[in-house]
Amino acid sequence: MSKDGESGGVPVSGDLMATNGRGEAAAPEPLSGATNGGEDAPAPVAIKPYLRGALSFDPTVQTFVIKGRWGFSKADYDSGDPLRVSPFEFKYTSSSSSGGGGGGEESSCPPSTGELKGHIAVRQEGKASQLRVAEHGLHLAFTPLEADGGRFEAKGSGYNKFGKFLLEGAAWRAAAGDNPSDSPEAAAAAGFEVELHKS
């Protein structure tokens, strides 16, 4: 899943700037009429990485964890192709309760706001190993969309070596049947399903 350059906090292909030989940025060539007998050149396709995983309280580290997989697009993610999908993991370093009833950390899932740290794995062209890219300054907030706390809107931000990014998506309570292989116990342990779009 390697790409060169950068856009929206993730690598993309293509040179970002040309120079005129004096180290100055050269004026861009006009796109209109550049190709196909006068037809306009197609606009570049925006890359919007898609992340999906499970949010739950991990008693072994005593914090909330979001762990799952991501692709450079939802189509990449949905393909299930191991060459187009890689793992990610975010751990909360601080959080505020969403007020979901007392009785332990698990009952306050998902946190209403929080700071996180984590990483994404990026596949390197021609290499079996994946590059571990740290995600910094991660902030994520969940706003209830339903009175019973079954679904939340997710918004956040962060940055990595490729640049700054925004996060938008949703979280919903995991339930038996979300995945045919899930037992009720596995669904309960998963806590919430989370999907996020990076831009």
Side-chain angles (χ1 to χ4, degrees):
M1 235 192 303
S2 66
K3 307 197 182 225
D4 303 323
E6 57 184 86
S7 176
V10 295
V12 298
S13 61
D15 294 330
L16 296 180
M17 182 179 292
T19 63
N20 59 10
R22 297 191 300 273
E24 302 170 349
E29 293 293 331
L31 294 179
S32 181
T35 59
N36 299 328
E39 295 180 8
D40 289 346
V45 177
I47 289 181
K48 199 168 186 179
Y50 177 82
L51 303 83
R52 181 163 176 175
L55 165 62
S56 61
F57 183 80
D58 186 342
T60 63
V61 292
Q62 289 296 297
T63 192
F64 293 101
V65 177
I66 305 175
K67 189 174 183 179
R69 299 179 301 156
W70 75 280
F72 277 100
S73 67
K74 190 173 187 305
D76 280 350
Y77 177 90
D78 289 342
S79 74
D81 185 343
L83 297 179
R84 299 164 67 186
V85 178
S86 296
F88 77 89
E89 183 174 332
F90 300 152
K91 292 182 181 179
Y92 278 79
T93 57
S94 65
S95 62
S96 297
S97 171
S98 59
E105 294 288 351
E106 296 89 338
S107 63
S108 63
C109 186
S112 57
T113 61
E115 304 293 330
L116 307 89
K117 65 178 181 179
H119 68 273
I120 60 172
V122 178
R123 190 167 297 281
Q124 304 177 83
E125 189 171 353
K127 296 184 179 180
S129 62
Q130 296 189 16
L131 179 66
R132 184 180 172 121
V133 176
E135 307 264 82
H136 305 285
L138 284 169
H139 175 81
L140 197 56
F142 291 97
T143 303
L145 295 176
E146 298 176 353
D148 64 357
R151 190 171 182 86
F152 294 77
E153 177 186 49
K155 287 191 174 183
S157 60
Y159 69 93
N160 57 30
K161 64 185 291 184
F162 304 118
K164 296 179 181 180
F165 55 81
L166 298 176
L167 294 166
E168 293 184 307
W172 59 94
R173 192 176 300 279
D178 284 353
N179 185 324
S181 64
D182 283 350
S183 64
E185 293 79 9
F192 279 77
E193 289 287 322
V194 177
E195 65 173 5
L196 298 168
H197 295 270
K198 268 186 177 183
S199 61

